[in-house]
Amino acid sequence: MKQIIFLTAYPTTHTLKDGMVQRVKNIDDLFNHTPRVFLDVNIRRYLSKQVCEPTDNVKEYKLNALLHFFLIWKLIKAADIIFLHSIYGAVWTFIQLCFFKKKICLDFHGVVPEENLVINNKFYFYYFKFIEWISVRLATHVIYVSKAMAKNFMQKYPFITKNRMIYPNYTNIKQDRIPLKFNNTDTGNQTVFIYSGNLQNWQNIDELLKVIHHYQTVPNYHFIILTGQVEQFKKKILKHHIQLDRIEINSVNSDEIDQYYAKAHYGFILRSDHLLNRVANPTKMMEYLLFGITPIVKSVAIGDFNDYQYEYININEFNEYLPPKKSIINQNIALKILNEKEDLVEFVML
């Protein structure tokens, strides 16, 4: 059997609240019966080698880029297939990767250099631009989360491999927990709004909180925030003069989130019209649609979703008369996307 090594940390219950880790978990679930190695390399951490077996068929190495340089070399040399979870996987391993002619599958989660430019970190913009260029040069197979992302990289790097596939971010929520029939009276007359995510700049949290502040006194409106940054969020909420008893804020594990989605009617995803968002495929967008939630958007151009003509409400159209109604159209779109799923295991392993 071919040996495969994933250049990233193995997902844990604690880290699964992060969108990128959810992608790693989603893909790892496809390889459940395949012996595999996870290699997490860091320049500042892991001064002592750490090796563990977190689950069946998985061995994970946590290594220091300098102190364990030759062990990293040995692991990469022994592998038949190398799976790069975004260009981050090549940051501390690109030297070893350059020395071996391997099947390298590069999974583009996002546009990392541009993400750093958004937060005005020019040093990392140029550094990750270099890592991205090397990764593209080395990759024999490429996976994109959206057609928009594929188009972006093919224009940016005309020499990029033609061995490619589109594999969107799906969800780690089990399908038997997704309601396929909606009862719009389940929450009574209450209209439930949800935001799932953290405080990154591109989430436009201040605009979200302005809306909540303006409509917090509407009697039948209930707002839910699910985040891994509860205390930081509470501070911002208070700055916007929002009463904490008017908003539900929680940090939940991925196996609990379906309970909140099931009762929500609208979900905030306030992405600006920027390359980051035009090529993105947010997991929460897919989950919103699966649960019949109508996204409240700033820009409709989020990945490929607008190609499917999903139902949405522009943030400028937000008002006090939004009904407690699920969107069957949106759920059907999500189910259609799931049915179009290609065989990623075959693409990687053959």
Side-chain angles (χ1 to χ4, degrees), residues 7 39-43 46 61-65 72 92-93:
L7 298 187
L39 176 56
D40 181 15
V41 181
N42 195 286
I43 194 70
Y46 314 138
Y61 291 82
K62 293 183 179 294
L63 303 177
N64 183 273
I72 296 167
W92 303 116
T93 60

Side-chain angles (χ1 to χ4, degrees), residues 169-170 196 261 267-269 271 280-297 299-306 310-312 330 333-334 337:
N169 287 319
Y170 293 105
S196 176
Y261 285 154
F268 290 97
I269 183 160
R271 305 293 182 91
N281 186 264
T283 303
K284 72 178 168 192
M285 183 69 160
M286 183 67 178
E287 291 174 344
Y288 283 176
L289 300 187
L290 264 177
F291 281 82
I293 295 171
T294 299
I296 298 170
V297 303
S299 168
V300 71
I302 302 174
D304 300 332
F305 289 106
N306 202 33
Y310 69 98
E311 289 188 324
Y312 65 90
N330 283 351
I333 287 170
I337 293 171

Side-chain angles (χ1 to χ4, degrees), residues 97-151:
L97 292 172
C98 287
F99 274 87
F100 301 106
K101 192 172 180 62
K102 302 282 184 179
K103 179 175 182 178
I104 298 178
C105 299
L106 173 57
D107 183 20
F108 274 118
H109 297 192
V111 284
V112 178
E114 288 79 4
E115 288 172 8
N116 282 275
L117 200 57
V118 165
I119 58 176
N120 204 31
N121 195 328
K122 291 187 178 180
F123 171 79
Y124 280 110
F125 166 72
Y126 288 110
Y127 179 65
F128 283 119
K129 195 173 180 181
F130 166 70
I131 295 295
E132 184 180 85
W133 181 85
I134 288 181
S135 300
V136 168
R137 280 286 183 187
L138 292 172
T140 60
H141 294 67
V142 180
I143 302 154
Y144 304 101
V145 294
S146 68
K147 295 173 186 174
M149 182 172 283
K151 183 179 179 182

Side-chain angles (χ1 to χ4, degrees), residues 186-297:
D186 283 348
T187 54
N189 294 320
Q190 197 171 62
T191 302
V192 180
F193 302 87
I194 197 165
Y195 169 75
S196 176
N198 289 325
L199 292 163
Q200 299 97 329
N201 287 2
W202 58 83
Q203 305 279 16
N204 289 310
I205 299 302
D206 286 328
E207 292 186 47
L208 161 69
L209 295 179
K210 282 178 185 176
V211 169
I212 295 176
H213 170 259
H214 190 76
Y215 292 95
Q216 65 180 319
T217 57
V218 177
N220 62 315
Y221 276 13
H222 180 61
F223 296 95
I224 299 172
I225 290 177
L226 303 180
T227 178
Q229 298 177 290
V230 172
E231 293 308 315
Q232 297 95 314
F233 236 115
K234 283 182 178 179
K235 288 177 183 177
K236 287 190 76 72
I237 286 169
L238 292 173
K239 282 183 181 178
H240 282 266
H241 307 291
I242 298 168
Q243 300 171 32
L244 286 175
D245 61 352
R246 297 295 303 163
I247 190 168
E248 183 179 349
I249 179 165
N250 277 312
S251 177
V252 300
N253 294 323
S254 58
D255 59 353
E256 302 172 289
I257 202 167
D258 60 287
Q259 303 167 36
Y260 293 88
Y261 285 154
K263 60 184 180 182
H265 305 103
Y266 303 90
F268 290 97
I269 183 160
L270 303 179
R271 305 293 182 91
S272 301
D273 187 11
H274 185 281
L275 176 66
L276 263 68
N277 305 312
R278 291 196 295 270
V279 303
N281 186 264
T283 303
K284 72 178 168 192
M285 183 69 160
M286 183 67 178
E287 291 174 344
Y288 283 176
L289 300 187
L290 264 177
F291 281 82
I293 295 171
T294 299
I296 298 170
V297 303

